[in-house]
Amino acid sequence: MTCREFLSAEMKKRILILDGPKGTMIQRKQLGEAEYRGERFKDWKGSLKGDNDILSITQPEIIMSIHEEHLAAGSDIIQTNTFNGTSFSQADFGMQALVYELNQKAARIALEAAARWTAKTPGKPRFVAGSLGPTNKSASVAQDVENPGHRSVTWNELYEAYSEPVRAFLDAGVDLIIIETIFDTLNGKAALSAAIDGMRSRSMDVPIMVSGTIVDLSGRNLSGQTVEAFLASMDRPELFSIGLNCSLGANQMKPFLAALARHAPFP
């Protein structure tokens, strides 16, 4: 039975649990510059403190321990520690050349943790979703009020930036891909295209989860779409699920999640 088949059948019986945050749990560790650098990057020319993704290389035991906490709490699906795993986000630290490595390393850590817990609870297998975060660029929103037609990034640049982590995830053998914290629908569509094309090039079928972010009580994302419009824009047969993350807090998000539930042809 494939991951898609198993999870689809299981969802008819119960609510599946996705893991919780990485960033705030890393913050609790109160790591300093030396911990972020580790031995490998001790002479790195710039600061690495705050680059949580690089910890998969320099402090893998910390990332493993966070996965273990989520799995112990009952997570069915855990996400890789790759929220800022694109070349755009890693450019802030001069780490663009390590994007493939850090994504693959993060995937392998999560897969090892999931396999260990599957062995402990064979009736409740655990799965890993490779996480594609939002980047720090927007394809829809103008950055310069004096030049409203200007954009800080093109579709092709976003597509290429997302394609590299996708290759790393698929090479590592993740069970799913999650495109998360989508504040700009055009960015999300670029990530979705990169994920679908990456799978097609390998003749693979990896379920894709999508999770958007709304910015205020109007229920719109940063590029101005309502959740219904967001759903229509992202609707592809390859999607396994759609949802919302971060945003306004659980109670205020309920009406928008209900709107998704009424219209989405998938969970």
Side-chain angles (χ1 to χ4, degrees):
M1 184 180 292
T2 66
C3 169
R4 184 189 298 274
E5 290 168 342
F6 177 86
L7 292 176
S8 295
E10 200 70 6
M11 279 192 294
K12 295 175 182 177
K13 308 175 198 172
R14 64 185 180 90
I15 294 172
L16 296 179
I17 306 300
L18 188 65
D19 67 357
K22 303 289 184 301
T24 52
M25 295 185 76
I26 289 171
Q27 287 171 14
R28 293 178 191 171
K29 307 291 184 182
Q30 297 184 327
L31 304 177
E33 183 70 32
E35 286 84 3
Y36 275 91
R37 288 172 178 256
E39 184 63 24
R40 178 171 170 183
F41 302 111
K42 65 180 181 180
D43 298 321
W44 193 255
K45 58 185 178 295
S47 174
L48 294 181
K49 186 176 180 180
D51 186 1
N52 291 342
D53 298 52
I54 208 66
L55 294 173
S56 297
I57 296 174
T58 61
Q59 303 290 341
E61 69 285 350
I62 289 177
I63 303 307
M64 178 67 78
S65 71
I66 292 171
H67 288 317
E68 290 278 348
E69 286 189 68
H70 285 136
L71 290 162
S75 294
D76 296 285
I77 302 168
I78 58 172
Q79 301 167 90
T80 55
N81 176 47
T82 52
F83 185 81
N84 289 304
T86 62
S87 56
F88 290 127
S89 298
Q90 286 302 310
D92 291 342
F93 303 94
M95 287 282 181
Q96 306 94 304
L98 290 165
V99 163
Y100 180 92
E101 180 184 353
L102 67 84
N103 279 278
Q104 189 173 68
K105 178 66 172 176
R108 287 175 174 168
I109 293 170
L111 286 163
E112 181 183 337
R116 187 158 51 244
W117 276 85
T118 295
K120 289 182 182 180
T121 59
K124 180 184 168 73
R126 314 304 178 97
F127 300 92
V128 171
S131 170
L132 293 173
T135 83
N136 51 12
K137 303 286 185 179
S138 172
S140 297
V141 181
Q143 304 295 307
D144 183 357
V145 294
E146 301 297 328
N147 184 10
H150 175 72
R151 297 294 182 269
S152 62
V153 69
T154 66
W155 167 276
N156 287 342
E157 288 170 338
L158 281 168
Y159 177 91
E160 289 302 320
Y162 281 121
S163 293
E164 192 171 12
V166 167
R167 288 194 295 271
F169 294 151
L170 297 178
D171 289 346
V174 299
D175 304 297
L176 308 97
I177 288 176
I178 182 167
I179 304 167
E180 64 153 315
T181 321
I182 301 172
F183 63 86
D184 183 324
T185 305
L186 198 54
N187 287 34
K189 288 173 73 67
L192 185 57
S193 292
I196 292 170
D197 290 349
M199 286 187 286
R200 285 178 177 167
S201 70
R202 290 168 167 77
S203 299
M204 297 174 70
D205 176 27
V206 176
I208 300 173
M209 306 170 71
V210 160
S211 187
T213 294
I214 54 179
V215 296
D216 57 38
L217 288 173
S218 71
R220 296 177 183 270
N221 61 15
L222 195 63
S223 51
Q225 285 191 309
T226 63
V227 292
E228 293 90 346
F230 174 69
L231 168 64
S233 295
M234 300 299 292
D235 189 358
R236 292 283 296 266
E238 294 86 355
L239 285 197
F240 176 70
S241 70
I242 193 163
L244 300 172
N245 67 292
C246 298
S247 306
L248 309 172
N251 288 332
Q252 290 176 318
M253 286 165 64
K254 283 180 182 178
F256 308 116
L257 288 166
L260 281 179
R262 281 195 300 272
H263 298 290
F266 34 75

